């Protein structure tokens, strides 16, 4: 395989500490509101739990953090789904209680069987990652039941499982509708951010801005399209406006990709900035920020010395002009619906192996917790469901995030027990503490995928440390035991998933490249400008997935990725594909882009 001539400006696979810190601080579009809403939801869950005296209040709090969504419609749907699901779940748990009551062998078999089923569903069905939350609650509920007096066992079992999901479900439904923005607003913010970033790149930008622009581009428009689907459910916006927003989402991605290429090619040169184009981009961004979706955008008149910006001006002209078939919701082309299970759910052994490894981690943690007769470390079982990952690269790359997040959250929790909680006189003070720490965890969780997992771990460690029973705890033993349980669960899960049938992320990278090239072919063959923009967005999303898989493969041990030259060549080819996709949007450079695409296709042939 020939090495491509182009190389990425910077490696996304080796983020150093300054780069990680910039990810933490990056004010990406909608991040502040999302984090505030998530922190408020978790705080209200704790408040409701305090009022109703919900046992093990940490579980409802972390379920709320795990399932909280950006917009009010998705939150409401998730809350309704959880409250419907709880009825079936209660009947399910009640059945297993009857079968395992006063029967340790039956309880052990039930924990193993249920763990296997939920891990399998998480790997081979659409329930991921909800399957892990359901497995956590059901299995932990059965284990917790075994610790309570026999006379109260059935009543407490039903109450535990009910409140573990019902409280987060009601909070997401009610609070989400009150404080979360409309999905239309989320789309507006995303489009405005891409337009504003494009203008910044064309005027003057440093490498930090380039990093943020690249991260924003890699997000793609899939999230914006999903929000548009949620906006249609509100029945508050016309189908024509939503079609224009979908076009604007794709067009803003195309503009951002072109601006990135211009920045890359001219960063060391001194050219006259396209003032008219920059002003037009900023003006459009301002209108979207104000919640206005214009029916059309003006094409800035560029002078003859700036032909290289003509493609951007043409895209800006059709920013909110969808193709005719998109103006009516009835004529939308609907993609064929996939089934509940993955196509290879019962033929690919990796799904079964994943379930076996996850079950083994749960059972080993359960045996350690039972043999030592140390109830305080029950968090090791919860951790097994939360941290399981399909490939060794993901396990290794996220292990640091888990440990760092757990240590930060645990340190905050212990510090609060020692220095803060003893001075509290009422529930208000404690809720303020919960909100502040939840906001920190939520801010990290809503950031880049490379750091988001640490935010969730901060929340988990804090909740499990400071929420004992249905109130704050001042018991240092509780904090110690639960942090040790988290670390034990991390170690056991890592050991199981890396020792038995280790699955390498490297194995699927070639398939990712084929997908990218196929989508590039569709972009080349697209007839209309709107179709080309939509295809370019799909290419960027495929490149993002491929780069993440490359990152995971890069951190694996040498014996699992011995062909480092091949991995580096693939990394360069991803960047080559990005340049080809962007260049295909420029009619003047299209012949050159088709030549480079032909080279990529020949590499795979």
């Amino acid at each position: 395989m020939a090495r491509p001539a182009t190389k990425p400006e910077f490696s996304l696979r080796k983020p150093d500490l300054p780069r990680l810190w910039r990810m933490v601080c990056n004010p990406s579009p909608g991040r502040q509101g999302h984090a505030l809403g998530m922190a408020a939801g978790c705080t209200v869950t704790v408040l409701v739990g305090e009022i109703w005296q919900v046992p093990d209040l940490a579980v409802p709090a972390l379920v709320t953090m795990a399932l909280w969504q950006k917009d009010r419609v998705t939150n409401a749907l998730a809350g309704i789904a959880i409250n419907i699901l709880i009825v079936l779940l209660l009947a399910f748990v009640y059945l297993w209680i009857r079968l395992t009551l006063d029967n340790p062998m039956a309880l052990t078999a039930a924990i193993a069987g249920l763990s296997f089923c939920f891990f399998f569903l998480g790997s081979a069905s659409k329930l991921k990652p909800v399957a892990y939350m359901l497995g956590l609650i059901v299995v932990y509920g059965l284990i917790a039941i075994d610790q309570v007096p026999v006379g109260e066992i059935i009543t407490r079992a039903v109450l535990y499982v009910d409140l573990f999901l019902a409280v987060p479900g009601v909070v997401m439904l009610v609070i989400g509708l009150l404080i979360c923005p409309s999905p239309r607003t989320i789309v507006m913010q995303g489009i405005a951010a891409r337009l504003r970033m494009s203008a910044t790149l064309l005027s003057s930008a440093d490498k930090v801005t380039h990093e943020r622009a690249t991260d924003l581009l890699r997000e793609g428009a899939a999230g914006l399209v999903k929000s548009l689907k949620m906006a249609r459910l509100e029945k508050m916006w016309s189908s024509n406006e939503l079609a224009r927003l979908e076009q604007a989402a794709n067009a803003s991605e195309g503009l951002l990709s072109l601006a990135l290429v211009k920045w890359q090619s001219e960063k060391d040169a001194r050219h006259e900035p396209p003032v008219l184009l920059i002003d037009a981009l900023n003006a459009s961004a301002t209108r979207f920020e104000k919640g206005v979706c214009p029916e059309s955008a003006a094409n800035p008149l560029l002078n003859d010395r700036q032909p290289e910006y003509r493609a951007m001006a043409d895209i800006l002209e059709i920013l909110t002009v969808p193709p005719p078939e998109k103006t009516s919701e009835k004529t939308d082309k609907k993609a064929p619906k996939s089934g509940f299970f993955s196509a290879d759910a019962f033929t690919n052994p990796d799904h079964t192996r994943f379930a076996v490894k996850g079950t083994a981690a749960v059972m080993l943690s359960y045996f350690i917790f039972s043999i030592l007769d140390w109830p305080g470390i029950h968090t090791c079982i919860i951790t097994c469901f939360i941290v399981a990952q399909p490939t060794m690269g993901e396990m290794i790359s996220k292990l640091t995030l888990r440990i760092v997040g757990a240590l930060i959250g645990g340190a905050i929790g212990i510090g609060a027990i020692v220095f803060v909680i003893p001075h509290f006189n009422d529930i208000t003070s404690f809720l303020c503490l919960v909100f502040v720490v939840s906001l920190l965890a939520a801010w990290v969780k809503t950031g880049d995928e490379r750091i988001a997992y640490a935010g969730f771990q901060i929340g988990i460690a804090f909740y499990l440390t400071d929420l004992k029973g249905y109130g704050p705890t001042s018991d240092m033993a509780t904090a110690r035991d639960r942090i040790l349980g988290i670390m034990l669960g991390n170690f056991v899960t890592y050991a199981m998933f890396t020792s038995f049938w280790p699955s390498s992320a490297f194995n699927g990278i070639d398939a990712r490249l084929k997908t990218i090239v196929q989508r590039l072919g569709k972009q080349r063959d697209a007839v209309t400008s709107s179709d080309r923009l939509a295809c370019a967005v799909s290419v960027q999303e495929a490149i993002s997935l491929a780069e993440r898989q490359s990152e995971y493969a890069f951190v694996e041990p040498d014996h699992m990725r011995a062909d480092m030259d091949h991995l580096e060549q693939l990394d360069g080819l991803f960047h080559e594909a990005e340049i080809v996709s962007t260049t295909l949007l420029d009619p003047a450079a299209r012949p050159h882009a088709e030549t480079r695409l032909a080279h990529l296709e020949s590499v795979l042939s």
Side-chain angles (χ1 to χ4, degrees):
M1 181 182 293
R3 186 183 298 275
T6 58
K7 293 183 179 181
E9 173 69 17
F10 58 89
S11 175
L12 296 176
R13 297 182 315 185
K14 307 176 184 178
D16 52 14
L17 289 178
R19 167 87 163 127
L20 291 173
W21 178 248
R22 291 193 294 271
M23 290 179 185
V24 173
C25 300
N26 183 17
S28 54
R31 183 179 182 183
Q32 180 179 356
H34 191 191
L36 286 169
M38 186 182 297
C42 294
T43 304
V44 174
T45 298
V46 173
L47 173 60
V48 175
E50 296 284 0
I51 295 173
W52 287 358
Q53 299 187 358
V54 177
D56 286 309
L57 188 53
V59 177
L62 69 89
V63 169
T64 304
M65 176 168 285
L67 300 182
W68 191 267
Q69 302 296 318
K70 275 187 177 183
D71 65 88
R72 63 194 183 199
V73 178
T74 310
N75 256 333
L77 291 177
I80 293 172
I82 289 175
N83 281 282
I84 294 175
L85 182 64
I86 191 64
V87 177
L88 302 175
L89 202 59
L90 285 175
F92 184 72
V93 172
Y94 181 82
L95 172 64
W96 283 102
I97 291 172
R98 300 291 296 179
L99 294 175
T100 61
L101 188 63
D102 294 329
N103 190 335
M105 291 299 296
L107 177 62
T108 302
I111 292 172
L114 291 171
S115 297
F116 179 87
C117 291
F118 283 112
F119 275 113
F120 183 81
L121 289 173
S123 175
S125 77
K126 289 183 176 180
L127 273 183
K128 182 180 180 180
V130 178
Y132 303 135
M133 288 293 105
L134 296 178
L136 181 158
I137 292 170
V138 172
V139 172
Y140 176 67
L142 290 177
I143 293 173
I145 289 163
D146 193 46
Q147 309 296 316
V148 300
V150 174
E152 304 174 36
I153 199 166
I154 299 297
T155 302
R156 290 200 177 192
V158 174
L159 180 63
Y160 284 7
V161 180
D162 184 11
L163 296 181
F164 283 170
L165 280 182
V167 172
V170 172
V171 169
M172 292 176 68
L173 176 60
V174 178
I175 303 301
L177 287 174
L178 292 176
I179 67 174
C180 288
S182 164
R184 175 180 175 273
T185 302
I186 299 295
V187 177
M188 291 280 194
Q189 291 175 348
I191 295 171
R194 286 159 175 79
L195 294 174
R196 189 76 70 188
M197 184 64 75
S198 300
T200 302
L201 288 171
L202 293 181
S203 54
S204 61
D206 53 18
K207 289 189 176 182
V208 173
T209 304
H210 176 254
E211 288 178 359
R212 292 181 176 178
T214 302
D215 292 340
L216 186 59
L217 180 66
R218 289 294 187 269
E219 290 181 11
L224 301 181
V225 172
K226 178 183 176 182
S227 294
L228 284 172
K229 292 179 180 178
M230 295 297 103
R232 290 188 175 95
L233 297 178
E234 287 189 300
K235 304 297 182 182
M236 297 172 60
W237 325 106
S238 68
S239 59
N240 180 272
E241 179 180 347
L242 296 178
R244 286 188 279 116
L245 284 175
E246 183 174 351
Q247 168 68 10
N250 292 332
S252 63
E253 278 278 300
L255 288 166
L256 181 57
S257 64
L258 284 167
L260 272 169
V261 170
K262 297 300 181 186
W263 182 92
Q264 180 71 25
S265 61
E266 299 182 4
K267 61 178 181 176
D268 296 325
R270 294 184 179 273
H271 292 285
E272 179 185 354
V275 178
L276 292 176
L277 179 59
I278 293 171
D279 291 342
L281 288 168
N282 282 322
S284 297
T286 300
R287 299 186 71 179
F288 280 104
E289 288 169 348
K290 293 179 178 179
V292 178
C293 179
E295 293 187 2
S296 62
N299 187 337
L301 299 176
L302 302 178
N303 58 47
D304 295 337
R305 293 175 297 173
Q306 298 172 325
E308 65 272 17
Y309 299 105
R310 174 54 52 192
M312 294 187 68
D314 291 341
I315 293 176
L316 186 59
E317 187 177 17
I318 61 169
L319 179 64
T320 56
V321 183
E325 65 272 15
K326 289 293 184 180
T327 59
S328 175
E329 199 172 349
K330 296 180 180 179
T331 58
D332 281 351
K333 295 180 180 179
K334 295 183 178 179
K337 294 183 178 180
S338 56
F340 176 75
F341 287 100
S342 304
D344 62 347
F346 301 103
T347 57
N348 188 347
D350 288 340
H351 298 304
T352 302
R353 292 171 179 174
F354 177 80
V356 169
K357 291 186 286 188
T359 302
V362 170
M363 296 310 297
L364 180 56
S365 298
Y366 174 63
F367 288 145
I368 293 174
F369 147 75
S370 300
I371 292 171
L372 295 178
D373 192 22
W374 195 351
I377 63 170
H378 67 271
T379 50
C380 61
I381 299 168
I382 296 175
T383 304
C384 292
F385 283 99
I386 295 173
V387 303
Q389 299 295 329
T391 66
M392 191 169 185
E394 290 174 88
M395 292 294 298
I396 295 173
S397 63
K398 291 189 175 180
L399 180 63
T400 303
L401 294 178
R402 295 173 198 146
I403 294 176
V404 171
L407 290 177
I408 293 175
I412 294 174
I414 293 174
I417 292 173
V418 175
F419 301 107
V420 181
I421 292 179
H423 301 287
F424 288 168
N425 297 318
D426 51 34
I427 186 62
T428 305
S429 302
F430 179 66
L431 291 177
C432 289
L433 171 67
V434 171
F435 178 79
V436 171
V437 181
S438 298
L439 181 59
L440 170 64
W443 177 263
V444 179
K445 184 177 182 293
T446 55
D448 191 278
E449 289 185 5
R450 297 169 182 83
I451 61 171
Y453 210 71
F456 189 42
Q457 292 293 322
I458 292 173
I460 290 174
F462 173 75
Y463 295 144
L464 292 175
T465 300
D466 281 35
L467 295 176
K468 180 181 180 182
Y470 53 83
T473 180
S474 59
D475 184 3
M476 291 295 294
T478 299
R480 176 203 64 196
D481 293 349
R482 294 190 173 186
I483 293 175
L484 287 176
I486 292 172
M487 293 302 175
L488 175 62
N490 280 329
F491 173 77
V492 170
T493 307
Y494 174 78
M496 288 296 174
F497 276 74
T498 57
S499 299
F500 301 98
W501 302 305
S503 178
S504 174
F506 183 80
N507 297 332
I509 298 181
D510 285 327
R512 296 285 189 190
L513 180 59
K514 291 180 181 178
T515 300
I516 293 171
V517 174
Q518 289 172 356
R519 295 188 181 185
L520 282 172
K522 292 181 179 180
Q523 182 182 350
R524 175 194 56 198
D525 299 334
V527 178
T528 66
S529 299
S530 297
D531 289 340
R532 282 194 291 273
L533 287 169
C535 291
V537 169
S538 69
V539 171
Q540 292 292 345
E541 292 168 354
I543 292 173
S544 177
L545 293 175
E547 286 180 340
R548 293 308 309 277
Q549 193 151 348
S550 176
E551 292 175 33
Y552 293 141
F554 187 78
V555 300
E556 290 177 346
D558 291 340
H559 71 277
M560 298 189 71
R561 54 170 179 85
D563 193 355
M564 273 299 298
D565 288 339
H566 183 59
L567 186 59
E568 292 179 357
Q569 290 169 5
L570 287 170
D571 194 51
L573 288 171
F574 297 152
H575 182 67
E576 177 79 4
E578 177 188 2
I579 299 298
V580 170
S581 177
T582 303
T583 311
L584 283 172
L585 296 175
D586 187 351
R590 184 179 177 87
H592 180 56
E594 291 179 349
T595 301
R596 298 174 76 170
L597 176 55
H599 167 69
L600 285 175
E601 291 174 333
S602 67
V603 168
L604 297 179
S605 60

